[in-house]
Amino acid sequence: MSKEEILRELREGILSYDEGRVKNAARRALEEGMDPFLAIKDGLTPAIREVGEKFERMEIFLPHLMMAAKAMEAGVEVLEPALDKSQGQKVRLGKVVIGTVQGDIHSIGKNIVAMMLKAAGFEVIDLGVDVAVDKFVEGAERANADIIAASALMSFTKVMQRDLVEYMKAVGARQKYKLMVGGGPVNEEWAREIGADAYAEDAVKAVRAAKALLGIS
Amino acid sequence: MISFWEIARRAEFGPMMKEEDFDMRLARTAMELAKEHDITYDPSVYVSSDDGLADEVWQAGIELLTRCGVYNASNKRVIEIKEEEIKEALKHARGEIEVGKGKDRVRIRARGVEGSDPPTIISGPFGVETTIEAFVPMNQAFAQEPLIDVLFHGGHIQSLNGVETIRANSAFEVIAARLYAELMNQALVLAGRPFMPQVWIPGGVGDLNELAAEGAQIHNREDIFLTMLLLPELKVNDYKLSEVAHFMNFGHPIYGGATPVIGGYAGGPDTAAIVAVATNLALKLVARADLIHIGPQHFRYRSQTNPASLWMNSVMGQAVARNSKLITTTSVTTAGRPGSMQMHLEAAALAICSVVSGRNVTGPRPAQPLYPNHHNPLHSRLFAEVAKAATRLKREDANEIVARIVSTYKDTLDFEKSPKGKTFEQSYDVKTLKPTEENLKLYEEARAKLIDFGLEIEG
């Protein structure tokens, strides 16, 4: 299999949401002596970006995004151990710990943001719903995260985003992590008022905001 | 119908599954069913007239529920539902329910597609933070609107005695829930409709709110619907099932709601229509809903009046109305905010779409309110007039009128672009409870515009 054929196989595997196909192509890349960094950079990454763009245009939806992200993860899992250290750092844009705040069990919006961040190349640790402020910080510490992202879908739970800022300050974690907030009742003004670093109205903007926070163009 | 005890037993002992696997099974099954039943979204249509499509969506919805079940997110178990159990529940559906007392007693019916019977109007200051000062006048102003049959007041008290925002599950929330019930009684007495039927989501989401409100004697009252919400998609948790048990213990009618999300696990508008039909059924069997409320939500717009939500709502509504006697209503949330022409027009579009598709209507409310007390009863007045006028329409005519209306707002559905609107205090004289001249003028202009678009509004 030529390099071009392997790259095509990786791309088509992602675009057809086929985990097995991506895994096989990734194995083949290593067997053929292909640079694993290039397999990710020129094979998987453009394909997952394409998936993200289709989602943005509403041509595909969350289930497709999830299947594509799973296929991407399967490929990276095969290729990652073969990367040298400096290459490994380049593959992941950054780590994001994400969750819905305490008292709130809405998950879909948060899951869409998590998937779009994954598709963009971030490593995402999803803490789930009803997440207490200390669990956000513990999760970020455990993962050595760059960003904490907190979602709130109700006006009487968005106050937990403010509490998260206060808790981070109280335990000396505010300067360690960038903080993004989002959700139905949340807006730019609220984010500014509570002292968050960024607000994103939707998943597409969340990716842009996360990149901007880490200085990635 | 299968007993609630049996549902609770299955929720306790059903097969276990990872939540992510349930989500993906549901998504994949809906996609397979859309293919098998040839169900495809047509973006050029807002109100479908295709009976065959509605029936295929109905059948696919039943298959989805029987193949996937309902997920209990608390203990990771699946409540399995059999097709014969769905059919048996449908066979015994009553097709109407009476709520309220005296002159405000209302009969809410399962409506038919293009049915000429008037839809029940469920409306009020739902889903917006309310200050203690505005609570009674605002609810009174809504209750005084004669076309509102059932007052929907899931708003909650925003602040108390210097506590600026009452947090979910805090002690303040329990106190506010009790106070909420007391003040609601006052508002209805002042409106002269003390036993007007109500839909209640008392004070927020806290586990103790229902019990807290008991202090104000809201229980054992057949005029009060209590609300149980299914989580998207086809999920419950232990707390929600406990709510059902509690409501049943007190003999309340149950208002079962859910918002299938287009673009979420439900997929595109076509697969979401299938999921929405399954959700109507799950609300009947699992949530024991006497009145089924569906919000045709969209992941991008986060409101329900966009073209995809309109189509999904019409197909789902017709599927349920053509094949069952379930009593249903559609939730109407708008991107335009109270006090704007856009909110009037968005609400009209979804009201027309829902009524000709065989549903009652609930709303309107802003999807993203910006201020406390961000409501305006004049929106409910026009919404009710439009819903009643829609009973004289055929679906083809409704589609044309809705298309004209949608063309006025389709480019400003993003919250950043949609009008910010005004608060209740800016739209009403809070002492006399009369709308301001500007507010009344806006209502009249919106009304005239809808008449121009071809809707025959009475009066």
Side-chain angles (χ1 to χ4, degrees):
Chain A
M1 220 178 201
S2 70
K3 184 186 151 195
E4 284 69 30
E5 280 169 334
I6 291 172
L7 289 177
R8 194 180 316 124
E9 196 58 15
L10 286 168
R11 177 179 174 275
E12 282 172 11
I14 298 273
L15 293 178
S16 58
Y17 321 115
D18 190 337
E19 231 175 296
R21 192 170 169 186
V22 175
K23 222 180 234 180
N24 285 340
R27 283 196 198 109
R28 198 65 194 268
L30 295 182
E31 284 163 14
E32 302 282 339
M34 194 173 163
D35 181 347
F37 181 67
L38 289 181
I40 294 173
K41 189 174 143 286
D42 296 341
L44 297 178
T45 306
I48 201 76
R49 198 176 297 137
E50 211 173 310
V51 169
E53 285 162 3
K54 280 186 173 182
F55 181 77
E56 207 173 327
R57 293 194 299 268
M58 293 192 270
E59 290 167 14
I60 58 166
F61 302 101
L62 180 59
H64 309 97
L65 201 57
M66 287 183 70
M67 291 187 279
K70 268 184 180 290
M72 170 93 179
E73 272 169 30
V76 171
E77 226 166 74
V78 173
L79 296 166
E80 208 166 24
L83 295 171
D84 66 37
K85 207 178 167 191
S86 67
Q87 287 177 326
Q89 282 165 352
K90 278 190 221 161
V91 167
R92 302 282 189 192
L93 296 184
K95 278 188 195 169
V96 182
V97 163
I98 192 168
T100 306
V101 297
Q102 192 169 35
D104 200 324
I105 53 172
H106 289 86
S107 63
I108 290 188
K110 180 260 303 167
N111 292 355
I112 293 175
V113 172
M115 282 299 145
M116 282 297 275
L117 287 168
K118 270 188 196 175
F122 285 90
E123 188 175 341
V124 179
I125 298 97
D126 188 347
L127 302 175
V129 297
D130 196 16
V131 180
V133 291
D134 57 335
K135 300 297 173 205
F136 274 107
V137 175
E138 279 171 29
E141 275 168 6
R142 217 174 16 248
N144 194 20
D146 303 294
I147 297 173
I148 293 176
S151 166
L153 264 292
M154 293 181 289
S155 50
F156 37 88
T157 57
K158 78 173 185 188
V159 288
M160 294 310 297
Q161 294 175 334
R162 183 194 60 202
D163 282 14
L164 177 57
V165 175
E166 284 181 24
Y167 182 77
M168 288 172 76
K169 282 183 188 161
V171 299
R174 184 66 192 91
Q175 299 309 318
K176 285 198 216 164
Y177 311 105
K178 298 288 184 190
L179 177 65
M180 283 170 62
V181 293
V186 179
N187 57 26
E188 188 81 55
E189 198 185 337
W190 169 255
R192 237 192 335 264
E193 185 187 321
I194 64 172
D197 298 305
Y199 157 73
E201 191 186 346
D202 57 38
V204 174
K205 288 175 188 154
V207 172
R208 276 185 219 137
K211 283 184 176 173
L213 284 177
L214 301 186
I216 302 162
S217 53
Chain B
M1 181 161 77
I2 181 173
S3 69
F4 181 67
W5 179 269
E6 179 56 23
I7 292 290
R9 200 189 63 76
R10 291 180 195 180
E12 194 75 17
F13 302 110
M16 284 191 138
M17 189 182 249
K18 264 171 77 180
E19 189 161 354
E20 191 186 325
D21 292 345
F22 178 84
D23 292 332
M24 286 314 294
R25 181 166 80 170
L26 176 130
R28 285 181 204 275
T29 308
M31 284 188 238
E32 283 166 25
L33 288 166
K35 212 175 214 175
E36 278 169 33
H37 290 267
D38 198 19
I39 297 162
T40 317
Y41 172 48
D42 179 351
S44 69
V45 174
Y46 301 107
V47 181
S48 166
S49 304
D50 187 339
D51 289 343
L53 173 66
D55 292 346
E56 291 296 332
V57 169
W58 171 256
Q59 192 49 45
I62 291 178
E63 287 174 41
L64 182 76
L65 186 58
T66 54
R67 278 160 68 172
C68 296
V70 174
Y71 191 72
N72 182 0
S74 296
N75 63 2
K76 318 297 169 200
R77 291 181 186 273
V78 177
I79 303 168
E80 293 179 317
I81 309 275
K82 298 185 189 78
E83 187 168 347
E84 53 269 30
E85 290 165 344
I86 296 171
K87 291 201 166 140
E88 202 236 339
L90 293 171
K91 201 165 76 187
H92 296 291
R94 285 180 292 169
E96 62 176 46
I97 180 174
E98 288 193 26
V99 286
K101 285 187 199 167
K103 65 182 170 60
D104 285 316
R105 192 164 179 83
V106 174
R107 181 175 295 162
I108 309 173
R109 294 186 178 87
R111 301 188 64 258
V113 174
E114 296 177 0
S116 59
D117 54 317
T120 299
I121 310 297
I122 303 154
S123 188
F126 165 58
V128 174
E129 292 172 325
T130 310
T131 60
I132 194 88
E133 296 79 14
F135 191 94
V136 171
M138 191 162 79
N139 279 287
Q140 184 187 344
F142 273 99
Q144 283 178 187
E145 286 294 330
L147 294 180
I148 298 179
D149 300 305
V150 178
L151 188 68
F152 194 153
H153 52 76
H156 62 283
I157 296 171
Q158 178 213 22
S159 57
L160 265 182
N161 293 347
V163 177
E164 276 183 28
T165 307
I166 293 176
R167 181 171 60 82
N169 291 313
S170 67
F172 297 124
E173 197 190 32
V174 170
I175 296 166
R178 162 73 194 249
L179 190 60
Y180 182 104
E182 302 278 4
L183 295 175
M184 186 53 65
N185 285 340
Q186 280 184 34
L188 294 187
V189 169
L190 287 166
R193 300 176 79 178
F195 296 110
M196 178 182 193
Q198 304 167 50
V199 178
W200 251 79
I201 308 182
V205 291
D207 296 0
L208 287 172
N209 287 337
E210 294 291 341
L211 296 172
E214 264 181 60
Q217 296 178 337
I218 69 146
H219 288 117
N220 295 320
R221 280 178 56 178
E222 61 181 53
D223 52 328
I224 297 180
F225 277 106
L226 290 177
T227 304
M228 188 279 197
L229 300 172
L230 276 188
L231 304 166
E233 304 299 347
L234 291 180
K235 290 181 194 170
V236 288
N237 60 26
D238 282 345
Y239 173 60
K240 292 189 175 298
L241 289 167
S242 308
E243 274 185 322
V244 176
H246 179 68
F247 299 166
M248 290 172 74
N249 283 345
F250 279 92
H252 281 278
I254 296 178
Y255 189 91
T259 53
V261 183
I262 297 171
Y265 296 112
D270 32 28
T271 46
I274 300 171
V275 174
V277 165
T279 305
N280 277 266
L281 296 166
L283 284 165
K284 184 68 193 166
L285 275 85
V286 176
R288 322 302 282 186
D290 297 292
L291 177 53
I292 293 165
H293 159 125
I294 295 286
Q297 193 58 274
H298 194 289
F299 83 106
R300 170 67 69 78
Y301 300 110
R302 292 178 287 155
S303 57
Q304 299 164 351
T305 58
N306 60 84
S309 289
L310 286 162
W311 182 89
M312 188 275 255
N313 177 61
S314 80
V315 172
M316 174 262 312
Q318 292 169 35
V320 175
R322 281 177 53 79
N323 293 284
S324 78
K325 280 198 248 163
L326 295 176
I327 312 168
T328 64
T329 180
T330 286
S331 154
V332 176
T333 69
T334 60
R337 300 176 179 92
S340 69
M341 174 64 79
Q342 184 171 324
M343 179 158 172
H344 276 303
L345 297 178
E346 284 183 59
L350 189 47
I352 294 167
C353 169
S354 303
V355 169
V356 295
S357 299
R359 296 180 83 83
N360 297 290
V361 284
T362 297
R365 70 180 175 101
Q368 194 202 44
L370 294 176
Y371 324 106
N373 314 327
H374 209 169
H375 259 300
N376 180 343
L378 275 191
H379 284 286
S380 303
R381 187 184 297 176
L382 185 56
F383 176 71
E385 289 172 334
V386 167
K388 288 181 193 300
T391 59
R392 293 186 285 277
L393 293 174
K394 296 288 171 210
R395 284 171 288 176
E396 287 86 354
D397 302 327
N399 185 53
E400 280 181 25
I401 294 172
V402 169
R404 284 178 209 128
I405 301 173
V406 171
S407 71
T408 67
Y409 67 71
K410 67 177 171 33
D411 297 328
T412 47
L413 280 169
D414 283 345
F415 290 156
E416 283 171 2
K417 292 180 189 159
S418 61
K420 291 191 168 32
K422 292 189 161 63
T423 63
F424 175 69
E425 296 94 320
Q426 290 167 328
S427 313
Y428 270 69
D429 178 326
V430 290
K431 287 200 176 106
T432 62
L433 297 188
K434 298 261 188 264
T436 61
E437 268 180 37
E438 187 193 8
N439 191 19
L440 206 52
K441 192 167 162 248
L442 179 75
Y443 155 82
E444 278 159 5
E445 282 171 6
R447 204 170 184 277
K449 202 171 263 222
L450 291 165
I451 292 168
D452 270 357
F453 286 151
L455 192 66
E456 290 174 20
I457 303 176
E458 274 182 357

